[in-house]
Amino acid sequence: MKLQSLNDQELVKLYIAGNELVLEELLKRHKSKIYTSIYLLVKDSYLAEDIFQDAFIKVINTLRSGRYNEEGKFLPWVMRIAHNLVIDFFRKEKRTPVITSSDGTDVLNTLQFHDESAEERMLRDQTGTDLKQMIRLLPDEQKEVLIMRHYADLSFKEIADLTDVSINTALGRMRYALSNLRKMISAKEMATGIK
């Protein structure tokens, strides 16, 4: 029996049944796509490799424990695990990647004032911190698209491919993310009395 001719679902069943060799085929088949999606978010090859390995350890543990039930959706399931690990990493680090514009400057730092007073500088720094905190509050699917689009500078087609959704779904998630951020900013301004 050639493992290459089997689909992911058949390979997973064989692995759960005790065939350790199929894991190598699943890895070979999907490593590039999963690793690349992690790398595009963390932009560090060593960290991406660590997160990739952590993701596959979770995959192996879940398969061995009999808790896998993503029938026919192996790759999206692994991608979700990997992306959750990336988000966990950023949460642990208490940092969010910098939002950069096409020329490589930090968008949050381009809100420069001519002769910035200490108060204006504090307000600008606080705005950047508040925005990053608000991004953390978004639902995972919206946060993921926002991070991939603005931090990793991916096209909506690339985002759709990496998250295994249609381009329209990726665009919709981005629209909701921006809408939710606007609502949070408005609510904060109303709460603090800032116009």
Side-chain angles (χ1 to χ4, degrees):
M1 169 180 54
K2 287 195 77 109
L3 295 179
Q4 293 87 345
S5 64
L6 299 176
N7 67 30
D8 289 350
Q9 195 173 345
E10 293 165 328
L11 290 173
V12 167
K13 282 183 181 158
L14 282 172
Y15 182 75
I16 291 170
N19 186 338
E20 295 284 326
L21 297 174
V22 273
L23 189 63
E24 195 177 320
E25 176 61 27
L26 284 167
L27 264 169
K28 209 181 337 173
R29 201 174 276 188
H30 301 300
K31 177 173 184 179
S32 160
K33 191 171 191 178
I34 297 164
Y35 173 84
T36 301
S37 76
I38 296 168
Y39 178 78
L40 288 168
L41 292 170
V42 298
K43 293 189 165 104
D44 176 314
S45 56
Y46 295 109
L47 178 59
E49 190 62 43
D50 284 350
I51 292 173
F52 175 81
Q53 288 174 2
D54 288 348
F56 256 87
I57 288 168
K58 270 193 161 186
V59 166
I60 291 166
N61 290 338
T62 304
L63 292 175
R64 285 186 177 156
S65 70
R67 290 174 302 161
Y68 176 78
N69 59 2
E70 305 287 328
E71 287 297 307
K73 295 182 181 145
F74 180 76
L75 181 60
W77 174 66
V78 179
M79 295 288 267
R80 204 164 48 246
I81 289 172
H83 288 139
N84 287 341
L85 288 171
V86 169
I87 288 167
D88 289 348
F89 167 77
F90 284 126
R91 269 194 205 120
K92 263 188 252 155
E93 290 293 306
K94 293 247 189 296
R95 66 186 180 96
T96 308
V98 174
I99 302 175
T100 53
S101 62
S102 55
D103 65 356
T105 56
D106 182 349
V107 170
L108 298 175
N109 289 338
T110 56
L111 307 167
Q112 294 294 334
F113 301 96
H114 299 299
D115 285 321
E116 208 173 30
S117 69
E119 292 84 11
E120 288 170 325
R121 194 166 41 255
M122 278 173 47
L123 183 62
R124 177 175 50 83
D125 291 346
Q126 186 58 44
T127 302
T129 304
D130 289 348
L131 182 59
K132 288 176 183 178
Q133 286 171 345
M134 288 175 195
I135 290 169
R136 285 192 194 103
L137 297 174
L138 291 172
D140 286 346
E141 291 175 340
Q142 294 172 23
K143 185 177 5 185
E144 182 180 64
V145 172
L146 190 81
I147 288 172
M148 289 178 159
R149 181 79 183 120
H150 286 289
Y151 302 154
D153 206 24
L154 298 181
S155 71
F156 282 106
K157 173 154 183 18
E158 291 168 316
I159 293 168
D161 290 345
L162 287 171
T163 56
D164 204 34
V165 298
S166 71
I167 291 177
N168 285 341
T169 300
L171 286 166
R173 288 176 181 173
M174 185 64 165
R175 231 181 350 265
Y176 284 124
L178 295 174
S179 171
N180 285 333
L181 283 176
R182 276 190 211 101
K183 286 176 192 163
M184 285 187 241
I185 290 167
S186 292
K188 182 168 179 51
E189 286 172 352
M190 286 172 67
T192 58
I194 299 171
K195 288 286 176 246

